[in-house]
Amino acid sequence: DTAVSQTPKYLVTQMGNDKSIKCEQNLGHDTMYWYKQDSKKFLKIMFSYNNKELIINETVPNRFSPKSPDKAHLNLHINSLELGDSAVYFCASSQTPSGGRTDTQYFGPGTRLTVL
Amino acid sequence: SQQGEEDPQALSIQEGENATMNCSYKTSINNLQWYRQNSGRGLVHLILIRSNEREKHSGRLRVTLDTSKKSSSLLITASRAADTASYFCATGRTDSWGKLQFGAGTQVVVTP
């Protein structure tokens, strides 16, 4: 009965590789997000999708490509991985922001990506 | 850039004591939220306070919001060892479509 789940939990890979992280939510939410948390614990939004449409794209390198096959899933594909991509990536979901406002977000457990 | 900044960065207290942490932000907001993150885990929502509210309670948590000073505080009363975690404030704006701006967090350690 996990609300927001991510796979894998850990990902260790070499520079230059391509990898994907998957996220699924069973809360019936219409909006999903990807966040990056760096080694100093700063958490920064990368993308958000509402009903499979991209809403927020926070000047993330285009090596990062989110894909939302349906409103319960939001995957993150990363091409040509770099050392600086090492971080913890969190998926989150919420009800559709009403009037453009923010609402409570529900986070997944995170995927710790280490690029060697 | 970070919207919220928490103070202190770290806090160490004994079980039973109260823990207070503060959050300051820079722009006008629609609401401010507090989240908890246990080590190696995802963030858990604690409480949301809207810009027209001044104080909110949830169990042992008390949150205040002063929009004139652009600051908020989170008080945890009668702390327990299980409260050991990082606490983050996050601000949302009216036109932000769900975008939350997080602070750097306050790391709280509660010792038995």
Side-chain angles (χ1 to χ4, degrees):
Chain A
D1 59 348
T2 304
V4 182
S5 59
Q6 294 178 230
T7 54
K9 190 167 172 60
Y10 300 97
L11 188 50
V12 181
T13 189
Q14 300 284 338
M15 260 174 43
N17 283 349
D18 303 338
K19 289 294 177 186
S20 291
I21 307 171
K22 296 188 175 183
C23 177
E24 176 180 2
Q25 54 92 7
N26 62 5
L27 296 167
H29 291 158
D30 292 328
T31 305
M32 296 184 72
Y33 312 82
W34 277 110
Y35 287 87
K36 178 181 180 180
Q37 186 175 44
D38 64 22
S39 58
K40 293 184 180 175
K41 291 201 169 181
F42 284 123
L43 198 68
K44 189 167 161 56
I45 191 165
M46 300 171 69
F47 302 102
S48 83
Y49 269 72
N50 176 258
N51 277 319
K52 304 192 296 176
E53 288 195 27
L54 181 66
I55 301 296
I56 296 172
N57 182 341
E58 281 291 292
T59 59
V60 176
N62 57 15
R63 297 182 296 103
F64 290 79
S65 51
K67 281 191 173 52
S68 181
D70 56 61
K71 65 180 188 180
H73 295 83
L74 180 62
N75 304 322
L76 184 64
H77 188 76
I78 316 170
N79 289 328
S80 304
L81 277 155
E82 300 177 358
L83 293 176
D85 297 333
S86 294
V88 182
Y89 292 85
F90 287 99
C91 176
S93 72
S94 74
Q95 300 283 10
T96 298
S98 165
R101 294 177 292 202
T102 54
D103 204 344
T104 299
Q105 294 183 14
Y106 296 81
F107 283 77
T111 295
R112 183 174 292 276
L113 171 65
T114 303
V115 182
L116 303 174
Chain B
S1 62
Q2 293 298 117
Q3 161 76 315
E5 292 185 10
E6 282 95 340
D7 172 63
Q9 289 184 324
L11 183 59
S12 183
I13 55 174
Q14 302 271 348
E15 257 189 336
E17 293 180 339
N18 294 343
T20 300
M21 58 210 88
N22 303 297
C23 170
S24 59
Y25 57 92
K26 296 173 185 166
T27 61
S28 62
I29 62 171
N30 172 262
N31 67 59
L32 186 143
Q33 304 179 33
W34 285 91
Y35 288 81
R36 184 187 75 228
Q37 183 179 31
N38 291 88
S39 180
R41 310 288 285 272
L43 279 78
V44 174
H45 180 260
L46 295 176
I47 201 162
L48 181 154
I49 186 165
R50 301 203 182 279
S51 59
N52 60 354
E53 297 174 310
R54 291 295 165 258
E55 188 170 314
K56 209 159 181 181
H57 297 255
S58 175
R60 293 184 295 113
L61 305 179
R62 174 179 164 249
V63 168
T64 63
L65 179 64
D66 187 335
T67 52
S68 67
K69 294 181 179 177
K70 291 188 167 60
S71 68
S72 173
S73 69
L74 171 67
L75 167 68
I76 306 172
T77 59
S79 61
R80 304 167 183 167
D83 295 327
T84 294
S86 292
Y87 293 81
F88 294 87
C89 70
T91 54
R93 296 172 54 174
T94 300
D95 59 350
S96 62
W97 278 99
K99 175 179 169 181
L100 286 176
Q101 298 259 30
F102 281 84
T106 293
Q107 192 163 347
V108 175
V109 175
V110 182
T111 52

